[in-house]
Amino acid sequence: MMRNLKTFRALALATLLATTASAGSAGAVDISLLRFFGECNTEYGTVTDISKANGECGIITVLTNKFNAENKLGAKVVTQTVEWGAYYDQLTATYSTGNIPDVAVMHASVMPNFSGRDLLTPLSGPLKELGIPSDDFVPAALKNATANGEIYALPFDLHALLFHVNMDLMKQANMVNPDGSPMLPKSADELIAQGKKFKEATGKTFIASESQSAEGMMVRFFDTLMWQQGVDVVSADGKAASIDTPEGLNAAKLISAIYSEGLANPALDYPGSEQAFLNGEAGILLNGTWGVDNYDSQAKSGKAALKSYRVANVPQLFANQKVWADSHMWVIPKDDNRSAEKTKAAEAFLKFLYDNNYEWSRTGHLSVRQSVLDSAAFKALPHRNEFAATATNATALPQVQNQRAVYNAMITDLNAMWLTGTEPQAALSAMQAGVERVLRRNR
């Protein structure tokens, strides 16, 4: 049944891409864009003024509209939006159907699965010809887009884990520094101690986090804690894991204690964790950069219980200041049948997205361009100075195949600590075994 469903999805996508590819005015160059980020044409379908766009869906939709209205090539980007959960299956399916998109969004963590199978167009040469200097990209972003010395993607952002903070509740718990910043822990023991203090003073949850679904927010926190201890979860060659280690036990015990001490609610899924934070039921929300714009807008609206909002880097609890991060990037999937005109239009769209990287950073994602990060406009965006160091501390698994499968393999066994009472050591052993099964594919 699952195979039939995937086949149906692939055929449906092929039909849609074929239909949209033939649309447009005579003589125009239509290029197909495959992406997630949701669908918001009702609100933004005809908008070309980027200042009126908000959120991931709104900004990428308006940017696409603006390119279509202003480019000099007669090019038209025709967007096909795919649900996030099915996205990579459907992108993979297009290589079989022959309706390969001209441009597609891709996570850095997934790129090796495509670049390693020669499914992406190399971009080192085209980016240089377009006048896009590789040295303008922050090192972490350029590394994410590179494999075996070749650039395969246009980096678009760094999105990393953050602490989103309700300052009213922190004040109630007397956990605010003299400079007005939240008082955050500097060690694992201090995190638990502060959480207990916060809970006693406010009666609220200290940390809200997705704890139920395949989002795996705590896996990102686990990876962060491992890197802070100087241990790579996966080796640089993608063949070995270092999860069942003393450092892994430190991380697992801390995460387990967050739940066993009642400092986090294990019943929250992703929407529930956000709602708990916005409703003033939690002091800290563990979530990514992508939420900054939304939470800031909600706090300023006066309609949410959250009134005083602040952002912080995930605190350094061990020897190194590191934090989990990934990147959204744009790729040109390899297609030997793509015309020179379509290729030129696809490259022009990438240049347009590079030129407008600041606009994307308004979502809360960190810009991948050092020139944007250094600009007065970026620094003037709400809260950016509060987590600017994240661009330097961003850390990711090595550029090897099956990164996403490694991540998925860790979720169930880590979650078992608070969902079924599994002891930290047992959870570590299970995660190690599960990840090793995945990594055997890389040997």
Side-chain angles (χ1 to χ4, degrees):
M1 180 66 183
M2 183 59 69
R3 182 176 298 175
N4 291 338
L5 179 58
K6 286 186 176 181
T7 300
F8 173 78
R9 283 175 168 170
L11 291 173
L13 179 63
T15 301
L16 283 166
L17 287 174
T19 301
T20 55
S22 63
S25 59
V29 180
D30 286 7
I31 56 172
S32 55
L33 169 66
L34 194 67
R35 66 164 178 83
F36 38 77
F37 299 126
E39 195 284 321
C40 50
N41 276 338
T42 301
E43 185 175 3
Y44 293 110
T46 61
V47 179
T48 57
D49 182 351
I50 191 61
S51 69
K52 298 185 183 305
N54 288 294
E56 289 181 323
C57 184
I59 289 175
I60 192 57
T61 298
V62 175
L63 282 176
T64 303
N65 295 343
K66 185 175 174 65
F67 174 82
N68 286 345
E70 297 178 358
N71 79 87
K72 306 302 183 184
L73 298 174
K76 179 183 178 183
V77 175
V78 182
T79 300
Q80 172 61 32
T81 301
V82 179
E83 180 190 0
W84 154 241
Y87 179 78
Y88 289 108
D89 283 342
Q90 298 219 30
L91 176 57
T92 299
T94 66
Y95 288 92
S96 299
T97 64
N99 291 288
I100 302 169
D102 299 305
V103 178
V105 69
M106 184 167 287
H107 283 91
S109 55
V110 177
M111 191 189 82
N113 287 13
F114 288 82
S115 62
R117 292 183 290 156
D118 195 28
L119 297 177
L120 301 178
T121 302
L123 294 179
S124 296
L127 293 183
K128 185 175 182 180
E129 291 173 6
L130 290 167
I132 298 177
S134 60
D135 59 3
D136 189 30
F137 294 121
V138 297
L142 185 59
K143 179 181 177 182
N144 286 344
T146 304
N148 300 318
E150 177 65 59
I151 299 173
Y152 284 98
L154 175 79
F156 205 45
D157 66 38
L158 283 173
H159 50 272
L161 209 58
L162 295 173
F163 271 20
H164 304 270
V165 186
N166 183 324
M167 291 304 297
D168 287 333
L169 291 179
M170 296 298 276
K171 289 175 184 176
Q172 188 176 335
N174 196 26
M175 292 171 59
V176 178
N177 293 314
D179 65 357
S181 63
M183 188 179 296
L184 297 176
K186 296 180 176 62
S187 69
D189 289 342
E190 193 172 355
L191 186 149
I192 299 302
Q194 285 190 358
K196 290 179 178 178
K197 175 184 175 182
F198 178 92
K199 183 180 178 182
E200 182 176 353
T202 66
K204 307 286 187 178
T205 300
F206 185 45
I207 296 176
S209 173
E210 178 278 317
S211 305
Q212 285 280 321
S213 69
E215 182 71 26
M217 198 64 67
M218 279 296 176
V219 170
R220 296 166 179 167
F221 190 49
F222 177 87
D223 287 350
T224 295
L225 297 175
M226 294 293 280
W227 288 317
Q228 288 192 358
Q229 295 176 86
V231 175
D232 290 324
V233 175
V234 174
S235 61
D237 61 7
K239 296 180 179 179
S242 299
I243 296 172
D244 191 357
T245 60
E247 293 83 2
L249 189 58
N250 290 338
K253 283 183 174 179
L254 173 58
I255 293 173
S256 180
I258 289 172
Y259 289 94
S260 64
E261 294 290 349
L263 308 183
N265 181 353
L268 296 178
D269 58 10
Y270 185 87
S273 67
E274 287 193 306
Q275 204 56 53
F277 181 64
L278 294 172
N279 288 346
E281 297 167 3
I284 294 168
L285 173 65
L286 183 65
N287 202 4
T289 52
W290 52 88
V292 172
D293 183 46
N294 178 39
Y295 308 148
D296 182 66
S297 297
Q298 295 267 12
K300 289 176 178 175
S301 73
K303 298 177 182 179
L306 175 68
K307 303 297 183 187
S308 182
Y309 170 63
R310 192 169 173 117
V311 186
N313 299 303
V314 171
Q316 180 180 342
L317 303 180
F318 294 99
N320 305 298
Q321 181 63 61
K322 301 288 184 181
V323 65
W324 171 91
D326 203 340
S327 288
H328 291 122
M329 309 186 299
W330 297 103
V331 299
I332 298 179
K334 199 166 205 179
D335 183 359
D336 293 335
N337 295 318
R338 183 179 294 117
S339 69
E341 291 78 13
K342 281 181 176 286
T343 298
K344 184 177 180 181
E347 292 173 355
F349 185 54
L350 294 191
K351 177 62 162 62
F352 178 83
L353 292 174
Y354 169 82
D355 289 341
N356 287 276
N357 188 251
Y358 162 78
E359 302 296 346
W360 183 247
S361 71
R362 292 196 291 112
T363 61
H365 295 314
L366 285 163
S367 173
V368 292
R369 294 182 54 182
Q370 191 62 51
S371 56
V372 172
L373 292 173
D374 292 340
S375 70
F378 179 83
K379 292 177 180 178
L381 290 171
H383 308 290
R384 294 320 188 268
N385 63 316
E386 295 162 18
F387 64 100
T390 293
T392 302
N393 303 328
T395 310
L397 293 178
Q399 286 297 86
V400 296
Q401 292 193 37
N402 300 309
Q403 281 192 52
R404 189 56 61 114
V406 165
Y407 181 74
N408 291 337
M410 296 172 68
I411 291 174
T412 299
D413 293 313
L414 187 68
N415 286 13
M417 290 194 300
W418 56 88
L419 295 180
T420 64
T422 300
E423 291 296 319
Q425 181 57 62
L428 279 184
S429 299
M431 281 196 293
Q432 178 79 28
V435 171
E436 285 180 344
R437 284 193 294 271
V438 172
L439 295 182
R440 280 196 278 273
R441 306 174 199 168
N442 294 346
R443 295 172 186 168

